[in-house]
C-alpha cells in the first residue's frame, strides 16, 4: 500500500469564521423592551465610547469618561494601589471620572459563598448603585470582578423575572431613587483595554525585557461569557483578549502556560471555609506552573481576589521551599508603572506579598530612591496629622 | 401531464441512492450537485473507511456513482446550484445555475439531499484550541491522514506516542444550542482508534466520552474489538479545555468514573466533531419553503413512520438533511424518498388521466 500523508492544516492556516446567530440572547434588546414598557430606565453609555467585539461577535460599548467608579472592598482593604492606579490612569489620560463616597457594597462575595441574602436585596443593591451613578451624572464602571460578574447575573434575573422587578421597584420607590439599569455593565479592565494604545503612547519605561503571564478572572470571562472581550488577533479569537492585549501593547512578552484557564484558587467558598485549598491551588496549580513553564517576571491579572490570592498565597509556600516567587499585580498597576507612576505612592507595591524589587530593577525603577520618597511623604503626613496623601504628593 | 423528472439535490450517498432508485422505478431524474464531483462528504472530506465494516469509502462511493453515471434516466448536473423555484409540485419550475448560465427546468417532485456540515470546533465553546494548536485536529483531519495510510503528529511529522479522541464536540451541548447526538461520532472515533493502533502499535490511544453510543452491531464489531483486540482506553469524563505545556498539548478535565480531575499530555488530540445542517440544507429550505424542525434540520411530518416527507407537498428529504444520519440511514432514506417521489408523480399522473 502506498503511503501519502495528508497533514492537517497548521493552526495558523485554520480560519475561524463566525456563522449564524449568537447562542445567547442580547440583553440590550430586552433592556430596551422593558424601558419601552415603562418598567425601568436604561442609562445609555455616554460618548465618547469605544466599541469592542465580545465572545459571540456582538459589539459592546466601553465609555472613556464620565465614569462612576464602583470600587472593590478587597482592593481598598488589601491592595489599595490597585484602585489608586485606576484613578491615576484616568487623570493622566485626561478622562473625567467620579469617585463616589456613597457606594453600597455589593454582597456578591457572600452570595457566591452561599452565605447571605436574597435575590430581591441583591438586585436592589445593584440598582441602588446604578441609580446613584445616574443621579451623580456618571456611568457605572466596576472595579471588582466579583461585583461585575454578580451584577451581570442580577441583570439576567431582572430581565426575566417580573416579580423581582416589582420587588426592586418598591425598594427604589422607598429610597426615592429611579429604577435605572445601565446599557452595558463595564469592568474597569475593559476601559484599560480600550485605552491601551494611549497608555503605550505615554509609556516611559521599557518593558521589552519583561515576561508576564496573564491570569484572566473567572468572573470576567466564565460568568455570562458572552459579555467578555475577544479579539481575533489574540489567541486566534479563542480566549478573552483582556489583559493580554495590554501586556502586548506595552511591549512586554505575554507568556502562555498550561493552567491559563484555571481559577486563581480564590473560589469564594474556598477562601472562606477552606483557605488551605485556595492557598494550595494558587501555588501548586497556578504559580508553580507559571514558574516551571514560563518563568515570568510578573503575573498580571484584573481582579481583586485574583491579585490577592495569587500574591499572598506564595508566602507560606515560599516558607516551605516551593518553586514560587512571582510578583503579582493588576493590569492597572502595570500600566501605571509603564507610564511612570510612583511604585509606592501610587501603585503601593509594598502592600503586595512577593518581593517586587527584582521586577522593578528590570523595569528600570530605582526602588530605593522611590521608597525614600514614599517615607518622606509618609513622615510629613504624620507630622502634619494629615490622614491622606494627595495627588500632588503622589506626583511630586 | 408530461412525464416530469424528479429533481434530486445533492450527490452524496442519499442523493445517489435516490437517483438510482428513481431510475429503477422507471422515472427520470435530474441530479444536481454544487461540487464538480459526486459522492458528497465521503469524497469531499476524504473519508478513509466506512463504519463499521472498514470498507474503503472511496471504493464504496465509486460503486454508487457508477450506477447513476451510466444510467440514461439520470441527468447529472455538476457545478450546479438551485437558485429559485416557482409553482407547486407536480408542476414546479426550478431555476438551475452553473458556470455557463442559468436554466429553468420543469420537475414533478424534489428530493432534497443536501446533507450536513461538520461542526466548527472553534465555534462558541472555544476551549479546545483547534485554532491555536497544530496538534489539535478533527475526526476529518485524522480520516484524511488515515486514508493516506499514515498517521503523524502534525507539529513534528513524527509518529505520535499518545493520542486521544474527545467525544461530543458540538453535540449534546446545551451551551452552544446543539442539543442533539450526532449519532456517528462514537463509531467513527472508535474505528479511527482501531486504525491508529493498527498503524502504530506502540501508540497509546484514549477516548474521552460522556457515554459511548454504539448502535446495533457497532457494539461488538467496533467497541468491544477496540478494547479487547486493540487495547484502546475508553475513559468516561468531561474534557473542559486543552492547553499547552511547552510543546506538548495537555488535555484537562474530569474523570467522572474515578471522580477526580485529570490532566494528560497528548501528542495528538482528535476532536470528534458532530453534524450541523449544511448551508445547502438551510438554503433549500428557504427556496422550497420547507419548515425546519427545532434543531435547524428539515422537518419531516410522519415521525418514525415517514422519515422523508416534508410539509410541502411533493418535496421529500433524505439523509442528514433531516437530522444526524449514518450511512445506513442515508441510503435507506434515499431509497424511501425515491419511492415516495415517484409515487407522488404517479398519483398526479393518474389524477390527470
Amino acid at each position: 500500500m502506498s503511503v501519502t500523508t495528508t497533514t492537517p492544516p497548521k493552526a495558523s492556516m485554520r480560519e475561524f469564521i463566525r456563522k449564524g446567530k449568537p447562542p445567547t440572547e442580547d440583553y440590550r434588546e430586552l433592556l430596551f423592551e422593558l424601558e419601552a414598557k415603562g418598567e425601568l430606565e436604561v442609562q445609555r453609555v455616554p460618548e465618547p465610547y469605544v466599541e469592542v467585539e465580545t465572545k459571540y461577535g456582538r459589539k459592546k460599548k466601553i465609555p472613556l469618561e464620565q465614569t462612576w467608579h464602583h470600587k472593590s472592598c478587597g482592593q481598598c482593604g488589601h491592595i489599595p494601589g490597585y484602585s489608586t492606579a485606576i484613578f491615576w490612569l484616568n487623570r493622566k489620560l485626561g478622562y473625567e471620572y467620579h469617585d463616589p463616597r456613597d457606594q453600597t457594597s455589593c454582597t456578591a462575595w457572600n452570595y457566591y459563598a452561599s452565605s447571605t441574602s436574597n435575590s430581591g436585596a441583591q438586585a436592589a443593591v445593584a440598582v441602588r448603585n446604578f441609580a446613584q451613578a445616574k443621579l451623580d451624572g456618571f456611568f457605572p464602571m466596576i472595579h471588582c470582578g466579583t461585583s461585575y460578574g454578580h451584577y451581570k447575573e442580577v441583570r439576567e434575573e431582572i430581565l426575566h423575572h417580573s416579580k423581582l422587578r416589582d420587588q426592586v421597584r418598591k425598594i427604589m420607590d422607598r429610597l426615592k431613587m429611579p429604577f435605572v439599569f445601565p446599557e452595558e455593565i463595564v469592568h474597569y479592565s475593559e476601559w484599560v483595554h480600550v485605552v491601551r494604545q494611549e497608555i503605550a503612547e505615554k509609556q516611559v519605561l521599557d518593558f521589552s525585557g519583561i515576561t508576564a503571564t496573564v491570569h484572566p478572572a473567572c468572573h470576567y470571562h466564565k460568568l455570562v461569557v458572552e459579555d467578555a472581550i475577544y479579539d481575533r488577533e489574540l489567541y486566534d479569537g479563542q480566549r478573552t483578549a483582556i489583559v493580554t492585549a495590554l501586556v502586548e501593547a506595552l511591549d512586554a512578552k505575554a507568556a502562555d502556560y498550561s493552567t491559563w484557564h484555571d481559577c486563581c484558587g480564590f473560589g469564594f467558598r474556598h477562601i472562606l471555609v477552606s483557605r488551605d485549598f485556595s492557598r494550595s491551588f494558587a501555588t501548586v496549580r497556578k504559580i508553580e506552573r507559571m514558574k516551571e513553564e514560563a518563568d515570568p517576571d510578573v503575573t498580571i491579572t484584573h481582579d481583586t481576589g485574583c491579585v490577592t490570592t495569587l500574591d499572598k498565597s506564595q508566602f507560606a509556600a515560599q516558607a516551605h521551599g516551593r518553586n514560587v516567587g512571582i510578583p503579582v499585580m493588576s493590569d492597572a498597576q502595570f500600566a501605571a508603572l509603564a507610564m511612570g507612576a510612583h511604585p509606592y505612592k501610587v501603585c503601593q507595591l509594598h502592600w503586595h506579598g512577593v518581593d517586587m524589587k527584582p521586577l522593578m530593577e528590570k523595569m528600570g525603577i530605582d526602588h530605593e530612591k522611590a521608597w525614600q520618597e514614599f517615607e518622606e511623604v509618609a513622615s510629613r503626613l504624620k507630622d502634619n496629622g494629615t490622614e491622606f496623601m494627595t495627588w500632588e504628593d503622589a506626583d511630586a | 401531464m408530461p412525464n416530469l423528472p424528479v429533481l434530486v439535490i445533492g450527490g452524496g450517498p442519499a442523493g445517489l441512492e435516490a437517483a438510482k432508485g428513481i431510475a429503477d422505478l422507471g422515472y427520470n431524474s435530474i441530479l444536481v450537485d454544487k461540487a464538480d464531483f459526486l459522492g458528497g462528504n465521503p469524497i469531499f472530506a476524504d473519508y478513509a473507511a466506512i463504519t463499521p465494516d472498514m470498507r474503503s469509502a472511496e471504493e464504496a462511493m465509486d460503486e454508487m456513482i457508477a450506477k447513476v453515471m451510466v444510467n440514461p434516466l439520470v441527468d447529472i448536473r455538476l457545478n450546479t446550484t438551485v437558485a429559485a423555484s416557482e409553482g407547486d409540485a407536480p408542476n414546479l419550475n426550478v431555476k438551475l445555475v452553473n458556470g455557463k448560465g442559468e436554466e429553468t427546468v420543469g420537475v414533478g417532485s424534489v428530493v432534497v439531499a443536501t446533507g450536513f456540515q461538520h461542526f466548527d470546533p472553534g465555534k462558541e465553546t472555544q476551549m479546545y484550541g483547534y485554532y491555536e494548536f497544530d496538534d489539535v485536529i478533527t475526526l476529518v483531519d485524522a480520516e484524511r491522514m488515515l486514508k493516506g495510510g499514515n498517521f503523524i503528529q502534525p507539529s513534528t511529522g513524527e509518529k505520535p506516542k499518545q493520542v486521544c479522541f474527545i467525544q461530543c464536540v458540538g453535540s449534546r451541548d446545551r451551551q452552544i444550542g446543539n442539543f442533539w447526538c450526532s449519532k456517528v461520532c462514537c463509531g467513527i472515533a472508535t474505528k479511527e482508534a482501531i486504525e491508529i493502533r493498527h498503524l502504530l502499535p506502540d501508540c497509546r490511544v484514549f477516548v474521552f466520552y460522556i457515554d459511548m453510543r454504539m448502535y446495533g452491531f457497532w457494539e461488538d464489531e467496533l467497541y468491544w474489538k477496540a478494547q479487547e483486540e486493540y487495547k484502546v482506553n475508553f475513559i468516561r469524563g468531561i474534557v473542559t479545555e486543552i492547553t499547552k505545556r511547552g510543546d506538548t498539548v495537555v488535555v484537562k478535565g474530569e474523570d467522572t468514573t474515578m471522580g477526580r480531575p485529570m490532566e494528560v499530555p497528548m501528542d495528538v488530540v482528535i476532536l470528534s466533531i458532530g453534524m450541523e445542517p449544511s448551508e445547502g440544507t438551510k438554503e433549500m429550505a428557504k427556496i422550497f419553503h420547507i419548515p425546519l424542525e427545532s434543531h435547524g434540520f428539515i422537518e419531516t411530518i410522519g415521525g418514525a413512520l415517514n422519515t422523508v416527507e416534508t410539509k410541502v407537498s411533493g418535496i421529500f428529504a433524505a439523509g442528514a438533511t433531516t437530522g444526524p444520519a449514518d450511512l445506513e440511514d442515508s441510503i435507506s432514506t434515499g431509497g424511501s424518498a425515491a419511492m415516495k417521489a415517484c409515487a407522488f408523480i404517479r398519483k398526479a399522473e393518474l389524477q390527470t388521466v
Side-chain angles (χ1 to χ4, degrees), chain B residues 1-24:
Chain B
M1 67 173 277
N3 185 5
L4 291 173
V6 178
L7 176 65
V8 178
I9 308 167
L16 288 169
E17 182 65 14
K20 177 184 167 294
I22 291 161
D24 287 346

Side-chain angles (χ1 to χ4, degrees), chain B residues 36-250:
Chain B
D36 61 357
F37 55 86
L38 290 173
N41 264 323
I43 299 300
F44 173 70
D46 286 321
Y47 289 1
I50 290 172
T51 306
D53 59 16
M54 301 283 194
R55 185 182 174 198
S56 155
E58 191 172 339
E59 183 190 295
M61 285 302 105
D62 282 349
E63 186 181 303
M64 293 191 78
I65 293 164
K67 285 177 183 165
V68 298
M69 289 290 277
V70 296
N71 199 314
L73 296 180
V74 183
D75 176 2
I76 297 170
R77 313 280 185 96
L78 298 177
N79 292 313
T80 302
T81 55
V82 174
S85 173
E86 278 186 359
D88 298 311
N91 296 300
L92 282 165
N93 290 311
V94 179
K95 189 199 284 184
L96 304 179
V97 178
N98 61 26
K100 293 175 191 163
E102 57 183 55
E103 177 191 359
T104 298
V105 294
V107 300
S109 178
V110 175
V111 174
V112 181
T114 39
F116 71 97
Q117 66 189 26
H118 295 99
F119 177 77
D120 179 344
K123 184 181 168 189
E124 318 309 5
T125 44
Q126 303 173 349
M127 299 288 273
Y128 293 139
Y130 179 73
Y131 291 95
E132 289 188 79
F133 309 131
D134 294 343
D135 295 331
V136 178
I137 64 174
T138 66
L139 275 184
V140 181
D141 296 326
E143 195 74 20
R144 282 204 173 100
M145 282 201 275
L146 292 166
K147 188 178 181 186
N150 202 1
F151 191 82
I152 58 164
Q153 181 177 3
S155 65
T156 62
E158 302 293 321
K159 291 176 182 174
K161 294 276 184 204
Q162 191 137 291
V163 172
C164 77
F165 291 81
I166 298 175
Q167 299 306 105
C168 299
V169 176
S171 304
R172 306 171 72 196
D173 189 339
R174 285 172 188 263
Q175 298 299 320
I176 57 167
N178 285 6
F179 300 163
W180 59 89
C181 164
S182 290
K183 258 180 148 174
V184 300
C185 328
C186 286
I188 292 171
T190 308
K191 177 206 72 122
E192 288 187 4
I194 291 173
E195 287 174 294
I196 292 167
R197 286 282 296 152
H198 182 73
L199 275 171
L200 308 170
D202 294 333
C203 179
R204 298 173 75 198
V205 179
F206 300 83
V207 179
F208 296 110
Y209 67 95
I210 301 175
D211 28 49
M212 293 303 289
R213 298 194 161 185
M214 290 294 181
Y215 303 99
F217 305 146
W218 293 12
E219 181 71 20
D220 63 326
E221 291 177 5
L222 286 172
Y223 191 40
W224 294 359
K225 186 173 170 181
Q227 291 172 84
E228 293 167 4
E229 289 180 38
Y230 287 91
K231 312 300 179 199
V232 175
N233 299 287
F234 289 83
I235 297 174
R236 186 171 185 275
I238 312 283
V239 171
T240 53
E241 69 229 15
I242 294 168
T243 56
K244 225 172 174 189
R245 189 183 303 153
D247 292 331
T248 308
V249 170
V250 178

Side-chain angles (χ1 to χ4, degrees), chain A residues 38-225:
Chain A
E39 288 220 31
L40 48 76
E41 183 188 343
V42 180
Q43 186 184 10
R44 266 57 173 185
V45 175
E47 292 187 8
Y49 56 76
V50 176
E51 281 196 321
V52 286
E53 192 166 299
T54 51
K55 185 173 172 93
Y56 300 137
R58 288 196 181 105
K59 299 289 183 193
K60 180 174 184 178
K61 295 173 187 169
I62 309 298
L64 290 175
E65 59 182 341
Q66 293 296 112
T67 45
W68 189 89
H69 285 247
H70 179 298
K71 291 173 291 296
S72 155
C73 310
Q75 280 172 30
C76 297
H78 299 295
I79 32 176
Y82 194 151
S83 25
T84 310
I86 298 172
F87 293 128
W88 189 87
L89 287 171
N90 272 271
R91 296 173 74 86
K92 289 295 168 188
L93 297 179
Y95 290 124
E96 192 183 352
Y97 68 92
H98 180 53
D99 176 11
R101 297 187 173 194
D102 51 3
Q103 170 200 324
T104 308
S105 175
C106 73
T107 75
W109 183 354
N110 283 324
Y111 161 68
Y112 287 116
S114 308
S115 62
T116 191
S117 208
N118 58 70
S119 56
Q122 289 179 37
V125 165
V127 174
R128 188 258 156 212
N129 280 330
F130 295 149
Q132 189 61 54
K134 178 73 170 37
L135 292 172
D136 288 343
F138 291 86
F139 192 85
M141 178 168 284
I142 320 294
H143 284 196
C144 177
T146 309
S147 307
Y148 171 77
H150 182 236
Y151 287 169
K152 292 200 291 182
E153 289 200 311
V154 165
R155 178 174 60 199
E156 293 279 309
E157 292 168 2
I158 283 183
L159 290 175
H160 293 102
H161 299 285
S162 60
K163 280 184 184 170
L164 178 63
R165 292 198 294 274
D166 291 342
Q167 282 180 319
V168 171
R169 197 169 297 110
K170 275 182 196 166
I171 296 169
M172 298 311 290
D173 286 348
R174 287 185 65 181
L175 291 171
K176 295 189 172 39
M177 294 177 97
F179 189 164
V180 179
F181 219 92
E183 180 185 359
E184 303 283 5
I185 295 178
V186 179
H187 191 236
Y188 87 86
S189 66
E190 296 178 314
W191 176 83
V192 174
H193 177 85
V194 300
V195 299
R196 66 190 186 280
Q197 292 309 334
E198 286 182 62
I199 293 169
E201 282 163 19
K202 292 180 186 296
Q203 184 170 2
V204 295
L205 297 183
D206 179 10
F207 281 5
S208 59
I210 305 293
T211 298
T213 41
V214 168
H215 168 70
C218 299
H219 272 224
Y220 179 74
H221 75 124
K222 294 181 187 167
L223 205 64
V224 193
V225 295

Side-chain angles (χ1 to χ4, degrees), chain A residues 30 33 40 57 86 91 96 123 126 169 174 190 231 251 260 286 290 307 322 333 354:
Chain A
L30 298 174
E33 274 175 29
L40 48 76
I86 298 172
R91 296 173 74 86
E96 192 183 352
R169 197 169 297 110
R174 287 185 65 181
E190 296 178 314
D231 182 338
D251 208 22
W260 186 93
K286 296 292 290 194
M290 291 176 194
V307 172
R322 307 281 311 201
Q333 290 166 299
V354 176

Side-chain angles (χ1 to χ4, degrees), chain B residues 272-284:
Chain B
S272 292
I273 48 173
M275 294 184 187
E276 289 187 325
S278 69
E279 292 303 317
T281 293
K282 287 184 260 187
E283 188 61 25
M284 292 308 107

